[in-house]
mmCIF file of all heavy atoms in Angstrom:
data_model
loop_
_atom_site.group_PDB
_atom_site.id
_atom_site.type_symbol
_atom_site.label_atom_id
_atom_site.label_comp_id
_atom_site.label_asym_id
_atom_site.label_seq_id
_atom_site.Cartn_x
_atom_site.Cartn_y
_atom_site.Cartn_z
ATOM 1 N N ARG A 38 0.804 3.844 8.230
ATOM 2 C CA ARG A 38 0.517 4.245 9.591
ATOM 3 C C ARG A 38 1.316 3.433 10.608
ATOM 4 O O ARG A 38 1.082 3.538 11.842
ATOM 5 C CB ARG A 38 -0.987 4.121 9.931
ATOM 6 C CG ARG A 38 -1.849 4.983 9.021
ATOM 7 C CD ARG A 38 -3.339 4.669 9.188
ATOM 8 N NE ARG A 38 -3.882 5.021 10.514
ATOM 9 C CZ ARG A 38 -4.283 6.208 10.797
ATOM 10 N NH1 ARG A 38 -4.273 7.213 9.894
ATOM 11 N NH2 ARG A 38 -4.816 6.526 12.008
ATOM 12 N N ALA A 39 2.239 2.618 10.135
ATOM 13 C CA ALA A 39 3.001 1.781 11.034
ATOM 14 C C ALA A 39 4.488 2.113 11.006
ATOM 15 O O ALA A 39 5.031 2.330 9.942
ATOM 16 C CB ALA A 39 2.847 0.290 10.696
ATOM 17 N N GLY A 40 5.124 2.130 12.202
ATOM 18 C CA GLY A 40 6.579 2.291 12.280
ATOM 19 C C GLY A 40 7.056 3.654 11.788
ATOM 20 O O GLY A 40 8.203 3.790 11.402
ATOM 21 N N ASP A 41 6.165 4.670 11.817
ATOM 22 C CA ASP A 41 6.561 5.989 11.335
ATOM 23 C C ASP A 41 7.296 6.791 12.449
ATOM 24 O O ASP A 41 7.028 6.572 13.621
ATOM 25 C CB ASP A 41 5.344 6.784 10.895
ATOM 26 C CG ASP A 41 4.236 6.775 11.901
ATOM 27 O OD1 ASP A 41 3.914 5.700 12.474
ATOM 28 O OD2 ASP A 41 3.610 7.805 12.146
ATOM 29 N N ALA A 42 8.215 7.634 11.981
ATOM 30 C CA ALA A 42 8.827 8.541 12.936
ATOM 31 C C ALA A 42 7.797 9.493 13.454
ATOM 32 O O ALA A 42 7.023 10.093 12.779
ATOM 33 C CB ALA A 42 9.976 9.320 12.206
ATOM 34 N N LYS A 43 7.778 9.711 14.825
ATOM 35 C CA LYS A 43 6.652 10.349 15.427
ATOM 36 C C LYS A 43 6.975 11.687 16.092
ATOM 37 O O LYS A 43 6.052 12.457 16.375
ATOM 38 C CB LYS A 43 6.058 9.416 16.486
ATOM 39 C CG LYS A 43 5.529 8.126 15.897
ATOM 40 C CD LYS A 43 5.004 7.140 16.894
ATOM 41 C CE LYS A 43 4.370 5.922 16.275
ATOM 42 N NZ LYS A 43 5.298 5.087 15.440
ATOM 43 N N GLY A 71 1.092 7.912 10.033
ATOM 44 C CA GLY A 71 0.128 8.061 11.080
ATOM 45 C C GLY A 71 0.282 9.305 11.849
ATOM 46 O O GLY A 71 1.065 10.207 11.466
ATOM 47 N N ASN A 72 -0.416 9.376 12.958
ATOM 48 C CA ASN A 72 -0.243 10.491 13.937
ATOM 49 C C ASN A 72 -0.494 11.858 13.345
ATOM 50 O O ASN A 72 0.075 12.884 13.774
ATOM 51 C CB ASN A 72 1.127 10.380 14.589
ATOM 52 C CG ASN A 72 1.330 9.136 15.371
ATOM 53 O OD1 ASN A 72 0.777 8.969 16.464
ATOM 54 N ND2 ASN A 72 2.063 8.162 14.849
ATOM 55 N N GLU A 133 12.333 5.210 12.771
ATOM 56 C CA GLU A 133 11.901 4.727 14.069
ATOM 57 C C GLU A 133 12.459 3.328 14.277
ATOM 58 O O GLU A 133 12.489 2.448 13.344
ATOM 59 C CB GLU A 133 10.398 4.610 14.166
ATOM 60 C CG GLU A 133 9.920 4.138 15.533
ATOM 61 C CD GLU A 133 8.473 4.083 15.731
ATOM 62 O OE1 GLU A 133 7.838 3.053 15.382
ATOM 63 O OE2 GLU A 133 7.883 5.032 16.311
ATOM 64 N N THR A 146 10.764 -1.061 13.801
ATOM 65 C CA THR A 146 9.611 -1.426 14.651
ATOM 66 C C THR A 146 8.574 -2.218 13.821
ATOM 67 O O THR A 146 8.858 -3.333 13.433
ATOM 68 C CB THR A 146 8.988 -0.184 15.322
ATOM 69 O OG1 THR A 146 8.602 0.783 14.332
ATOM 70 C CG2 THR A 146 10.013 0.445 16.259
ATOM 71 N N THR A 147 7.418 -1.645 13.630
ATOM 72 C CA THR A 147 6.315 -2.373 12.985
ATOM 73 C C THR A 147 6.282 -2.232 11.414
ATOM 74 O O THR A 147 5.306 -2.689 10.830
ATOM 75 C CB THR A 147 5.022 -1.923 13.562
ATOM 76 O OG1 THR A 147 4.949 -0.458 13.589
ATOM 77 C CG2 THR A 147 4.781 -2.475 14.961
ATOM 78 N N ASN A 167 11.613 4.095 20.061
ATOM 79 C CA ASN A 167 10.227 4.157 20.555
ATOM 80 C C ASN A 167 10.008 3.144 21.620
ATOM 81 O O ASN A 167 9.941 1.934 21.363
ATOM 82 C CB ASN A 167 9.205 3.961 19.404
ATOM 83 C CG ASN A 167 7.753 4.278 19.849
ATOM 84 O OD1 ASN A 167 7.497 4.427 21.019
ATOM 85 N ND2 ASN A 167 6.918 4.323 18.896
ATOM 86 N N LEU A 168 9.947 3.575 22.875
ATOM 87 C CA LEU A 168 9.783 2.665 24.009
ATOM 88 C C LEU A 168 8.418 1.993 24.086
ATOM 89 O O LEU A 168 8.226 1.020 24.771
ATOM 90 C CB LEU A 168 10.052 3.396 25.308
ATOM 91 C CG LEU A 168 11.404 4.115 25.429
ATOM 92 C CD1 LEU A 168 11.510 4.759 26.793
ATOM 93 C CD2 LEU A 168 12.586 3.175 25.177
ATOM 94 N N ALA A 169 7.441 2.513 23.319
ATOM 95 C CA ALA A 169 6.141 1.903 23.214
ATOM 96 C C ALA A 169 6.126 0.674 22.397
ATOM 97 O O ALA A 169 5.166 -0.096 22.415
ATOM 98 C CB ALA A 169 5.089 2.965 22.680
ATOM 99 N N GLN A 170 7.175 0.510 21.556
ATOM 100 C CA GLN A 170 7.231 -0.707 20.659
ATOM 101 C C GLN A 170 7.979 -1.741 21.461
ATOM 102 O O GLN A 170 9.093 -1.522 21.937
ATOM 103 C CB GLN A 170 7.914 -0.354 19.395
ATOM 104 C CG GLN A 170 7.277 0.760 18.572
ATOM 105 C CD GLN A 170 6.057 0.230 17.724
ATOM 106 O OE1 GLN A 170 5.471 -0.768 18.048
ATOM 107 N NE2 GLN A 170 5.788 0.951 16.688
ATOM 108 N N PRO A 171 7.495 -2.973 21.566
ATOM 109 C CA PRO A 171 8.107 -4.012 22.368
ATOM 110 C C PRO A 171 9.389 -4.484 21.813
ATOM 111 O O PRO A 171 9.552 -4.693 20.557
ATOM 112 C CB PRO A 171 7.067 -5.172 22.399
ATOM 113 C CG PRO A 171 6.207 -4.938 21.176
ATOM 114 C CD PRO A 171 6.182 -3.445 20.951
ATOM 115 N N THR A 219 11.262 8.248 22.177
ATOM 116 C CA THR A 219 9.840 8.524 22.151
ATOM 117 C C THR A 219 9.127 7.393 22.868
ATOM 118 O O THR A 219 9.728 6.363 23.258
ATOM 119 C CB THR A 219 9.324 8.556 20.705
ATOM 120 O OG1 THR A 219 9.407 7.279 20.075
ATOM 121 C CG2 THR A 219 10.140 9.580 19.817
ATOM 122 N N ASN A 220 7.829 7.571 23.062
ATOM 123 C CA ASN A 220 7.020 6.544 23.721
ATOM 124 C C ASN A 220 5.625 6.713 23.275
ATOM 125 O O ASN A 220 4.744 7.244 24.006
ATOM 126 C CB ASN A 220 7.129 6.693 25.244
ATOM 127 C CG ASN A 220 6.604 5.469 25.989
ATOM 128 O OD1 ASN A 220 5.861 4.715 25.419
ATOM 129 N ND2 ASN A 220 6.970 5.356 27.245
ATOM 130 N N GLN A 221 5.334 6.348 22.046
ATOM 131 C CA GLN A 221 4.043 6.552 21.440
ATOM 132 C C GLN A 221 3.686 5.425 20.510
ATOM 133 O O GLN A 221 4.435 5.108 19.604
ATOM 134 C CB GLN A 221 4.024 7.901 20.649
ATOM 135 C CG GLN A 221 2.711 8.285 20.099
ATOM 136 C CD GLN A 221 2.787 9.664 19.417
ATOM 137 O OE1 GLN A 221 3.711 10.450 19.645
ATOM 138 N NE2 GLN A 221 1.770 9.937 18.624
ATOM 139 N N PRO A 222 2.525 4.846 20.683
ATOM 140 C CA PRO A 222 2.171 3.725 19.777
ATOM 141 C C PRO A 222 1.805 4.181 18.393
ATOM 142 O O PRO A 222 1.608 5.389 18.161
ATOM 143 C CB PRO A 222 0.905 3.108 20.451
ATOM 144 C CG PRO A 222 0.390 4.238 21.352
ATOM 145 C CD PRO A 222 1.562 5.057 21.774
ATOM 146 N N ASP A 223 1.782 3.250 17.456
ATOM 147 C CA ASP A 223 1.382 3.556 16.095
ATOM 148 C C ASP A 223 -0.082 4.038 16.084
ATOM 149 O O ASP A 223 -0.921 3.635 16.980
ATOM 150 C CB ASP A 223 1.447 2.326 15.185
ATOM 151 C CG ASP A 223 2.896 1.942 14.830
ATOM 152 O OD1 ASP A 223 3.712 2.832 14.857
ATOM 153 O OD2 ASP A 223 3.093 0.739 14.553
ATOM 154 N N SER A 224 -0.442 4.803 15.145
ATOM 155 C CA SER A 224 -1.867 5.126 14.903
ATOM 156 C C SER A 224 -2.578 3.800 14.485
ATOM 157 O O SER A 224 -1.998 3.000 13.780
ATOM 158 C CB SER A 224 -1.999 6.077 13.827
ATOM 159 O OG SER A 224 -1.500 7.351 14.185
ATOM 160 N N SER A 225 -3.750 3.621 14.940
ATOM 161 C CA SER A 225 -4.480 2.429 14.663
ATOM 162 C C SER A 225 -5.079 2.457 13.241
ATOM 163 O O SER A 225 -5.229 3.575 12.650
ATOM 164 C CB SER A 225 -5.584 2.141 15.626
ATOM 165 O OG SER A 225 -6.458 3.222 15.781
ATOM 166 N N ALA A 317 -7.164 -0.639 16.757
ATOM 167 C CA ALA A 317 -6.639 -0.366 18.065
ATOM 168 C C ALA A 317 -6.695 -1.630 18.972
ATOM 169 O O ALA A 317 -5.703 -1.962 19.659
ATOM 170 C CB ALA A 317 -7.430 0.718 18.753
ATOM 171 N N GLN A 320 -4.145 -4.217 17.638
ATOM 172 C CA GLN A 320 -2.770 -3.753 17.854
ATOM 173 C C GLN A 320 -2.274 -4.097 19.270
ATOM 174 O O GLN A 320 -1.169 -4.658 19.479
ATOM 175 C CB GLN A 320 -2.656 -2.262 17.649
ATOM 176 C CG GLN A 320 -1.288 -1.703 17.708
ATOM 177 C CD GLN A 320 -1.250 -0.194 17.486
ATOM 178 O OE1 GLN A 320 -1.102 0.622 18.398
ATOM 179 N NE2 GLN A 320 -1.417 0.191 16.263
ATOM 180 N N GLU A 321 -3.114 -3.818 20.250
ATOM 181 C CA GLU A 321 -2.781 -4.083 21.600
ATOM 182 C C GLU A 321 -2.605 -5.619 21.813
ATOM 183 O O GLU A 321 -1.621 -6.011 22.494
ATOM 184 C CB GLU A 321 -3.854 -3.545 22.573
ATOM 185 C CG GLU A 321 -3.545 -3.768 24.039
ATOM 186 C CD GLU A 321 -4.578 -3.187 24.931
ATOM 187 O OE1 GLU A 321 -5.631 -2.738 24.416
ATOM 188 O OE2 GLU A 321 -4.361 -3.254 26.184
ATOM 189 N N LEU A 324 0.682 -6.967 19.671
ATOM 190 C CA LEU A 324 1.970 -6.548 20.201
ATOM 191 C C LEU A 324 2.293 -7.076 21.587
ATOM 192 O O LEU A 324 3.376 -7.342 21.954
ATOM 193 C CB LEU A 324 2.067 -5.021 20.185
ATOM 194 C CG LEU A 324 2.098 -4.355 18.795
ATOM 195 C CD1 LEU A 324 2.248 -2.848 18.898
ATOM 196 C CD2 LEU A 324 3.198 -4.956 17.903
#
Side-chain angles (χ1 to χ4, degrees):
R38 302 169 68 85
D41 51 315
K43 298 173 174 65
N72 298 285
E133 181 178 86
T146 58
T147 47
N167 189 348
L168 304 182
Q170 301 279 24
T219 67
N220 194 341
Q221 184 175 345
D223 287 335
S224 295
S225 55
Q320 183 182 106
E321 182 179 6
L324 292 183

